[in-house]
Structures are given as structure tokens and as C-alpha cells.
Short mmCIF file of all heavy atoms in Angstrom, two decimals:
data_model
loop_
_atom_site.label_atom_id
_atom_site.label_comp_id
_atom_site.label_asym_id
_atom_site.label_seq_id
_atom_site.Cartn_x
_atom_site.Cartn_y
_atom_site.Cartn_z
N GLN A 1 0.83 -1.20 0.00
CA GLN A 1 0.00 0.00 0.00
C GLN A 1 0.87 1.25 0.00
O GLN A 1 1.94 1.26 0.59
CB GLN A 1 -0.90 0.02 1.23
CG GLN A 1 -1.92 -1.08 1.24
CD GLN A 1 -2.84 -0.96 2.44
OE1 GLN A 1 -2.58 -0.22 3.37
NE2 GLN A 1 -3.93 -1.70 2.42
N GLY A 2 0.39 2.29 -0.65
CA GLY A 2 1.07 3.58 -0.63
C GLY A 2 2.20 3.68 -1.63
O GLY A 2 2.92 2.72 -1.85
N ASP A 3 2.33 4.84 -2.25
CA ASP A 3 3.43 5.07 -3.18
C ASP A 3 4.77 5.03 -2.47
O ASP A 3 4.86 5.33 -1.28
CB ASP A 3 3.27 6.43 -3.87
CG ASP A 3 2.16 6.43 -4.91
OD1 ASP A 3 1.68 5.34 -5.26
OD2 ASP A 3 1.77 7.52 -5.36
N VAL A 4 5.81 4.69 -3.22
CA VAL A 4 7.16 4.60 -2.69
C VAL A 4 7.94 5.82 -3.17
O VAL A 4 7.96 6.12 -4.37
CB VAL A 4 7.86 3.31 -3.19
CG1 VAL A 4 9.30 3.25 -2.69
CG2 VAL A 4 7.09 2.08 -2.73
N ALA A 5 8.58 6.52 -2.25
CA ALA A 5 9.42 7.68 -2.61
C ALA A 5 10.74 7.14 -3.14
O ALA A 5 11.50 6.53 -2.40
CB ALA A 5 9.65 8.57 -1.41
N VAL A 6 11.00 7.35 -4.44
CA VAL A 6 12.21 6.80 -5.07
C VAL A 6 13.31 7.84 -5.24
O VAL A 6 14.46 7.48 -5.52
CB VAL A 6 11.89 6.14 -6.43
CG1 VAL A 6 10.97 4.94 -6.24
CG2 VAL A 6 11.28 7.14 -7.40
N ALA A 7 12.99 9.11 -5.08
CA ALA A 7 14.00 10.17 -5.20
C ALA A 7 13.46 11.46 -4.61
O ALA A 7 12.26 11.63 -4.43
CB ALA A 7 14.37 10.39 -6.66
N VAL A 8 14.39 12.37 -4.32
CA VAL A 8 14.05 13.71 -3.89
C VAL A 8 14.54 14.65 -4.97
O VAL A 8 15.71 14.64 -5.34
CB VAL A 8 14.72 14.08 -2.54
CG1 VAL A 8 14.44 15.53 -2.17
CG2 VAL A 8 14.26 13.15 -1.44
N ASP A 9 13.64 15.45 -5.52
CA ASP A 9 13.98 16.41 -6.56
C ASP A 9 13.89 17.83 -6.00
O ASP A 9 12.95 18.16 -5.28
CB ASP A 9 13.01 16.30 -7.75
CG ASP A 9 13.14 14.98 -8.48
OD1 ASP A 9 14.28 14.56 -8.76
OD2 ASP A 9 12.10 14.37 -8.78
N ILE A 10 14.88 18.62 -6.34
CA ILE A 10 14.88 20.05 -6.03
C ILE A 10 14.62 20.74 -7.36
O ILE A 10 15.45 20.72 -8.26
CB ILE A 10 16.23 20.50 -5.43
CG1 ILE A 10 16.64 19.61 -4.26
CG2 ILE A 10 16.16 21.97 -5.04
CD1 ILE A 10 15.68 19.55 -3.11
N ILE A 11 13.44 21.31 -7.50
CA ILE A 11 13.01 21.92 -8.76
C ILE A 11 13.70 23.26 -8.98
O ILE A 11 13.95 23.99 -8.03
CB ILE A 11 11.48 22.11 -8.77
CG1 ILE A 11 10.76 20.85 -8.31
CG2 ILE A 11 11.00 22.54 -10.15
CD1 ILE A 11 10.93 19.64 -9.15
N ASN A 12 13.96 23.59 -10.26
CA ASN A 12 14.59 24.86 -10.63
C ASN A 12 15.88 25.10 -9.85
O ASN A 12 16.07 26.14 -9.22
CB ASN A 12 13.63 26.04 -10.45
CG ASN A 12 12.42 25.91 -11.33
OD1 ASN A 12 12.52 25.45 -12.46
ND2 ASN A 12 11.26 26.30 -10.82
N ALA A 13 16.76 24.12 -9.90
CA ALA A 13 18.00 24.16 -9.12
C ALA A 13 19.06 25.04 -9.78
O ALA A 13 19.78 24.61 -10.66
CB ALA A 13 18.51 22.73 -8.93
N SER A 14 19.14 26.27 -9.32
CA SER A 14 20.18 27.20 -9.77
C SER A 14 21.50 26.80 -9.09
O SER A 14 21.51 25.98 -8.17
CB SER A 14 19.81 28.62 -9.37
OG SER A 14 19.80 28.73 -7.95
N ALA A 15 22.60 27.42 -9.50
CA ALA A 15 23.89 27.13 -8.89
C ALA A 15 23.87 27.40 -7.39
O ALA A 15 24.38 26.62 -6.59
CB ALA A 15 24.99 27.93 -9.58
N ALA A 16 23.27 28.52 -7.00
CA ALA A 16 23.18 28.86 -5.57
C ALA A 16 22.33 27.84 -4.82
O ALA A 16 22.65 27.44 -3.70
CB ALA A 16 22.61 30.26 -5.39
N MET A 17 21.24 27.40 -5.44
CA MET A 17 20.36 26.40 -4.82
C MET A 17 21.11 25.07 -4.67
O MET A 17 21.03 24.42 -3.64
CB MET A 17 19.11 26.20 -5.67
CG MET A 17 18.18 25.11 -5.16
SD MET A 17 17.28 25.56 -3.69
CE MET A 17 16.04 26.61 -4.36
N ILE A 18 21.87 24.68 -5.70
CA ILE A 18 22.63 23.44 -5.63
C ILE A 18 23.61 23.48 -4.47
O ILE A 18 23.73 22.53 -3.71
CB ILE A 18 23.35 23.15 -6.97
CG1 ILE A 18 22.32 22.79 -8.06
CG2 ILE A 18 24.37 22.03 -6.81
CD1 ILE A 18 22.90 22.69 -9.45
N ALA A 19 24.31 24.60 -4.31
CA ALA A 19 25.27 24.73 -3.21
C ALA A 19 24.57 24.64 -1.85
O ALA A 19 25.02 23.92 -0.96
CB ALA A 19 26.02 26.06 -3.33
N ALA A 20 23.45 25.33 -1.70
CA ALA A 20 22.72 25.32 -0.42
C ALA A 20 22.17 23.93 -0.11
O ALA A 20 22.26 23.45 1.02
CB ALA A 20 21.60 26.35 -0.45
N VAL A 21 21.60 23.28 -1.12
CA VAL A 21 21.02 21.95 -0.90
C VAL A 21 22.11 20.93 -0.61
O VAL A 21 21.95 20.05 0.24
CB VAL A 21 20.15 21.52 -2.11
CG1 VAL A 21 19.74 20.07 -2.00
CG2 VAL A 21 18.93 22.42 -2.22
N THR A 22 23.25 21.06 -1.29
CA THR A 22 24.35 20.13 -1.05
C THR A 22 24.85 20.25 0.39
O THR A 22 25.10 19.26 1.06
CB THR A 22 25.49 20.37 -2.06
OG1 THR A 22 24.98 20.20 -3.37
CG2 THR A 22 26.62 19.40 -1.84
N ASN A 23 24.97 21.48 0.87
CA ASN A 23 25.38 21.69 2.27
C ASN A 23 24.34 21.13 3.24
O ASN A 23 24.68 20.52 4.25
CB ASN A 23 25.62 23.17 2.55
CG ASN A 23 26.90 23.65 1.90
OD1 ASN A 23 27.83 22.88 1.69
ND2 ASN A 23 26.94 24.93 1.57
N THR A 24 23.08 21.32 2.92
CA THR A 24 22.00 20.79 3.75
C THR A 24 22.02 19.27 3.74
O THR A 24 21.84 18.63 4.78
CB THR A 24 20.65 21.33 3.27
OG1 THR A 24 20.67 22.76 3.38
CG2 THR A 24 19.50 20.78 4.10
N PHE A 25 22.27 18.68 2.57
CA PHE A 25 22.38 17.22 2.47
C PHE A 25 23.51 16.70 3.34
O PHE A 25 23.37 15.70 4.03
CB PHE A 25 22.60 16.81 1.00
CG PHE A 25 22.88 15.34 0.83
CD1 PHE A 25 21.88 14.39 1.02
CD2 PHE A 25 24.14 14.90 0.49
CE1 PHE A 25 22.14 13.04 0.87
CE2 PHE A 25 24.41 13.54 0.34
CZ PHE A 25 23.40 12.62 0.53
N PHE A 26 24.65 17.39 3.32
CA PHE A 26 25.78 16.96 4.13
C PHE A 26 25.42 16.97 5.61
O PHE A 26 25.73 16.03 6.34
CB PHE A 26 27.01 17.83 3.87
CG PHE A 26 28.17 17.46 4.76
CD1 PHE A 26 28.86 16.29 4.55
CD2 PHE A 26 28.52 18.26 5.82
CE1 PHE A 26 29.91 15.92 5.38
CE2 PHE A 26 29.57 17.91 6.66
CZ PHE A 26 30.27 16.74 6.43
N LEU A 27 24.74 18.03 6.07
CA LEU A 27 24.32 18.08 7.47
C LEU A 27 23.36 16.96 7.80
O LEU A 27 23.44 16.33 8.87
CB LEU A 27 23.70 19.44 7.79
CG LEU A 27 24.65 20.62 7.74
CD1 LEU A 27 23.89 21.93 7.89
CD2 LEU A 27 25.72 20.50 8.81
N TRP A 28 22.43 16.67 6.87
CA TRP A 28 21.48 15.58 7.06
C TRP A 28 22.23 14.25 7.16
O TRP A 28 21.96 13.44 8.05
CB TRP A 28 20.50 15.55 5.89
CG TRP A 28 19.56 14.39 5.88
CD1 TRP A 28 18.37 14.30 6.54
CD2 TRP A 28 19.73 13.16 5.19
NE1 TRP A 28 17.78 13.08 6.29
CE2 TRP A 28 18.60 12.36 5.46
CE3 TRP A 28 20.72 12.65 4.35
CZ2 TRP A 28 18.44 11.09 4.94
CZ3 TRP A 28 20.57 11.38 3.83
CH2 TRP A 28 19.43 10.61 4.13
N LEU A 29 23.20 14.07 6.26
CA LEU A 29 23.99 12.84 6.25
C LEU A 29 24.76 12.68 7.56
O LEU A 29 24.80 11.58 8.14
CB LEU A 29 24.96 12.91 5.06
CG LEU A 29 25.71 11.66 4.66
CD1 LEU A 29 24.74 10.56 4.24
CD2 LEU A 29 26.65 11.98 3.50
N GLN A 30 25.32 13.77 8.04
CA GLN A 30 26.06 13.77 9.29
C GLN A 30 25.16 13.36 10.46
O GLN A 30 25.57 12.59 11.33
CB GLN A 30 26.63 15.16 9.51
CG GLN A 30 27.75 15.27 10.47
CD GLN A 30 28.35 16.67 10.45
OE1 GLN A 30 27.65 17.66 10.17
NE2 GLN A 30 29.62 16.77 10.74
N GLN A 31 23.93 13.84 10.48
CA GLN A 31 22.99 13.52 11.54
C GLN A 31 22.48 12.08 11.45
O GLN A 31 22.17 11.46 12.47
CB GLN A 31 21.79 14.47 11.50
CG GLN A 31 22.13 15.89 11.85
CD GLN A 31 22.52 16.03 13.30
OE1 GLN A 31 21.88 15.47 14.18
NE2 GLN A 31 23.58 16.76 13.56
N ARG A 32 22.35 11.54 10.24
CA ARG A 32 21.80 10.20 10.05
C ARG A 32 22.84 9.10 10.19
O ARG A 32 22.53 7.96 10.41
CB ARG A 32 21.15 10.05 8.67
CG ARG A 32 19.95 10.96 8.41
CD ARG A 32 18.97 10.90 9.57
NE ARG A 32 17.88 11.83 9.47
CZ ARG A 32 17.91 13.09 9.92
NH1 ARG A 32 18.98 13.62 10.42
NH2 ARG A 32 16.84 13.85 9.84
N ARG A 33 24.10 9.43 10.01
CA ARG A 33 25.18 8.45 10.01
C ARG A 33 25.14 7.52 11.23
O ARG A 33 25.28 6.32 11.08
CB ARG A 33 26.50 9.20 9.89
CG ARG A 33 27.74 8.56 9.37
CD ARG A 33 27.76 7.11 9.12
NE ARG A 33 28.42 6.46 10.24
CZ ARG A 33 28.09 5.27 10.71
NH1 ARG A 33 27.12 4.58 10.19
NH2 ARG A 33 28.73 4.76 11.71
N PRO A 34 24.92 8.02 12.45
CA PRO A 34 24.89 7.10 13.59
C PRO A 34 23.74 6.08 13.53
O PRO A 34 23.82 5.02 14.13
CB PRO A 34 24.72 8.02 14.80
CG PRO A 34 25.24 9.35 14.34
CD PRO A 34 24.87 9.42 12.88
N THR A 35 22.68 6.40 12.82
CA THR A 35 21.50 5.53 12.76
C THR A 35 21.67 4.40 11.74
O THR A 35 21.14 3.32 11.93
CB THR A 35 20.26 6.36 12.38
OG1 THR A 35 20.13 7.43 13.33
CG2 THR A 35 19.00 5.53 12.41
N TYR A 36 22.39 4.67 10.68
CA TYR A 36 22.54 3.71 9.59
C TYR A 36 23.98 3.21 9.52
O TYR A 36 24.91 3.99 9.66
CB TYR A 36 22.18 4.36 8.24
CG TYR A 36 20.74 4.78 8.17
CD1 TYR A 36 20.33 6.05 8.53
CD2 TYR A 36 19.76 3.89 7.72
CE1 TYR A 36 19.00 6.44 8.47
CE2 TYR A 36 18.43 4.26 7.66
CZ TYR A 36 18.06 5.54 8.03
OH TYR A 36 16.75 5.90 7.96
N ARG A 37 24.17 1.93 9.29
CA ARG A 37 25.52 1.39 9.14
C ARG A 37 26.21 1.96 7.92
O ARG A 37 27.39 2.27 7.95
CB ARG A 37 25.47 -0.14 8.99
CG ARG A 37 25.17 -0.84 10.26
CD ARG A 37 25.38 -2.32 10.09
NE ARG A 37 24.87 -2.99 11.26
CZ ARG A 37 24.08 -4.04 11.24
NH1 ARG A 37 23.74 -4.58 10.10
NH2 ARG A 37 23.66 -4.57 12.35
N ARG A 38 25.47 2.08 6.84
CA ARG A 38 26.03 2.57 5.58
C ARG A 38 24.94 3.35 4.86
O ARG A 38 23.81 2.89 4.75
CB ARG A 38 26.48 1.39 4.73
CG ARG A 38 27.02 1.77 3.37
CD ARG A 38 27.49 0.51 2.63
NE ARG A 38 27.95 0.80 1.30
CZ ARG A 38 29.19 1.14 0.97
NH1 ARG A 38 30.10 1.23 1.92
NH2 ARG A 38 29.52 1.39 -0.27
N ILE A 39 25.30 4.51 4.38
CA ILE A 39 24.37 5.29 3.56
C ILE A 39 25.03 5.50 2.20
O ILE A 39 26.09 6.12 2.11
CB ILE A 39 24.04 6.65 4.20
CG1 ILE A 39 23.38 6.46 5.56
CG2 ILE A 39 23.12 7.45 3.26
CD1 ILE A 39 23.11 7.76 6.30
N GLU A 40 24.42 4.93 1.19
CA GLU A 40 24.87 5.13 -0.19
C GLU A 40 23.92 6.13 -0.82
O GLU A 40 22.74 6.17 -0.49
CB GLU A 40 24.81 3.83 -0.97
CG GLU A 40 25.79 2.79 -0.48
CD GLU A 40 25.71 1.51 -1.30
OE1 GLU A 40 25.87 1.59 -2.54
OE2 GLU A 40 25.47 0.46 -0.68
N PHE A 41 24.44 6.93 -1.76
CA PHE A 41 23.60 7.94 -2.40
C PHE A 41 24.12 8.24 -3.79
O PHE A 41 25.25 7.94 -4.14
CB PHE A 41 23.58 9.23 -1.57
CG PHE A 41 24.95 9.86 -1.43
CD1 PHE A 41 25.41 10.77 -2.36
CD2 PHE A 41 25.78 9.52 -0.37
CE1 PHE A 41 26.67 11.34 -2.25
CE2 PHE A 41 27.04 10.07 -0.25
CZ PHE A 41 27.49 10.99 -1.19
N GLU A 42 23.24 8.86 -4.56
CA GLU A 42 23.60 9.40 -5.86
C GLU A 42 22.93 10.77 -5.97
O GLU A 42 21.78 10.94 -5.56
CB GLU A 42 23.13 8.51 -7.00
CG GLU A 42 23.50 9.09 -8.36
CD GLU A 42 23.09 8.21 -9.52
OE1 GLU A 42 21.87 8.04 -9.70
OE2 GLU A 42 23.98 7.71 -10.21
#
């Protein structure tokens, strides 16, 4: 039941947006690392 989230898209990603989102992703990854043995991403 329920749709599966297969990706996260950032719409209209300008260079500044890409930089901000990448930094935010890194912080998210840093916070999640203790919970998961391994986090792979693309």
C-alpha cells in the first residue's frame, strides 16, 4: 500500500540552490550516520 518515494527532486535548481542543498544534504547525512551502518547515495 502507498506510493514509494524513489528520489528527492529540487526543482529549478540554480547554482546557488545546488550549493545550499548540497550543504544541507551533508548536514542531514552527518545527523543520520549514527543511525545507519552505511548510507549510499547518488
Side-chain angles (χ1 to χ4, degrees):
Q1 294 183 347
D3 286 348
V4 177
V6 296
V8 175
D9 294 314
I10 308 301
I11 313 296
N12 298 323
S14 65
M17 176 73 77
I18 290 172
V21 171
T22 301
N23 288 332
T24 299
F25 173 72
F26 177 72
L27 293 173
W28 174 85
L29 192 62
Q30 199 172 30
Q31 292 292 316
R32 297 311 174 272
R33 203 352 260 145
T35 304
Y36 296 92
R37 286 190 189 133
R38 178 178 177 88
I39 299 176
E40 294 180 56
F41 62 89
E42 180 178 65

